[in-house]
Amino acid sequence: MLIRNATLADGRVRDVLVDGETIAEVGEGLDAEGDVLDADGKRLLPGMIDAHVHFREPGYAHKETWTTGSRSAAAGGVTTVFDQPNTDPPTIDTASFEAKARLARKSAIDYGINGGVTEAWNPEELFEEPIAALGEVFLADSTGEMGIDADLFEDALEEAEAAGVKVTVHAEDATLFDEAATERDDADAWSAYRTAEAEIEAIDRACAVANGLDSEIHIAHTSTPEGADIADEAGMTCEATPHHLFLSRADLEELGTFGRMNPPLRSERRRDGLFERLVDGTVDIVATDHAPHTREEKDASIWDAPSGVPGVETALPLLLEEARKGAIDYERVRDVTAANVADIFELPNKGRIEAGNDADLVLFDPDVSVPVRGEKLHSKCGWTPFEGHEAVFPELTMVRGNVVYDDGEFGEGSGENVRE
């Protein structure tokens, strides 16, 4: 395929020739014998690499599957995902990795499978498997079944360093949660309970441990500007989610329990500060923490509803809307969704529109903005916390030269494990 007259992130108008799975040439006045797509007036970006999703299989297929999650991703311009290990069973050894790998072969897009760390993990087995990273390691004192103590955290960093595997960290210190908030039942109680200070302190501690071991870590879903600053000053990388960039505690009255996630939504001041750090380069990447639950599960009390929101289909469209409005430039969108992700997680053939790279491409009309509607999205959960937000959705998504999404229709693309 030849994509002609496409406007790239830096504003250059170029032809992009795709030969098989790769980009053969980027230039002007190119010719091709195959299909020609006129992209005049439209923009072309590398596909988004979402380094943090929960596609829920195995164990929770009623929430999402590799088929529904990957199709939702493709419709949102995401061409590669890293799936987190807290499934059932958790991905902590050879047997659990292979169980997830069999399911992941149904993915419409490329993927990585992250390994997990628990008291029962088997690093000797796990690092023999083609894992993408150690995913969302829950720092000491964090809540959840996959929380680990300080000694195991250090052991995990040392094991990963020896194996050459990146470690991503979920940093919240449960000892700094505000127990007084548990007496409340309003939608804001969860944000009041899981304090900003709990995240800030945990990020500081995680970075200090990593520097002490001469290791590098990646901080997952940073929800505070202070946390992003700490990671940056410590020489670590961090990600921010669309919900922490575009939603705040001011939205909770409308969202109710559908706005509960970990870390929780922060104040409008902190949300604005986090977005500023995305623009200025302090925040390295955007990752969705796509964590769908059914409507029935979320329709509960603030203390009983599960944490997590869907986001894989809306992340890039929401950022493209901000670029359309001039709040962030297209080059920065490219970097935080693709180029920087490829660098951090060592995906040398992805993240940039260059000859020799995988033909992971997203084409969109920058002038066509529409409101997000949950009923039109493709995640199995059928809802979104961004209902009514304006967004610029892709027209076409390609994964290694295969058209996996084209104006509402899905192709026959078959995803591959990026580590195999």
Side-chain angles (χ1 to χ4, degrees), residues 334-358:
R334 172 202 62 199
D335 291 348
V336 300
T337 61
N340 290 356
V341 195
D343 290 344
I344 291 168
F345 292 98
E346 299 183 355
L347 301 171
N349 296 323
K350 295 186 180 294
R352 292 176 173 85
I353 299 178
E354 297 176 353
N357 275 10
D358 290 350

Side-chain angles (χ1 to χ4, degrees), residues 38-159:
D38 185 5
D40 185 38
K42 297 176 182 178
R43 285 189 173 264
L44 188 71
L45 291 182
M48 181 173 176
I49 305 167
D50 189 347
H52 190 149
V53 305
H54 301 266
F55 277 178
R56 299 304 192 195
E57 284 191 302
Y60 307 102
H62 67 286
K63 302 173 189 280
E64 192 77 282
T65 68
W66 277 93
T67 298
T68 58
S70 64
R71 283 191 165 197
S72 184
V78 177
T79 53
T80 303
V81 293
F82 281 11
D83 187 68
Q84 299 293 5
N86 56 336
T87 42
D88 185 13
T91 314
I92 58 173
D93 54 23
T94 294
S96 56
F97 177 89
E98 291 180 347
K100 180 173 286 189
R102 286 191 293 271
L103 293 164
R105 295 188 187 105
K106 298 181 294 183
S107 178
I109 63 173
D110 285 352
Y111 58 88
I113 298 174
N114 284 352
V117 181
T118 69
E119 295 289 343
W121 81 312
N122 187 327
E124 184 174 330
E125 284 190 5
L126 190 59
F127 289 126
E128 287 295 316
E129 303 300 333
I131 63 171
L134 278 188
E136 202 172 6
V137 175
F138 285 72
L139 185 60
D141 299 320
S142 288
T143 58
E145 293 180 0
M146 299 189 73
I148 61 175
D149 64 24
D151 289 340
L152 185 51
F153 180 63
E154 292 191 20
D155 289 345
L157 293 186
E158 291 175 337
E159 294 272 9

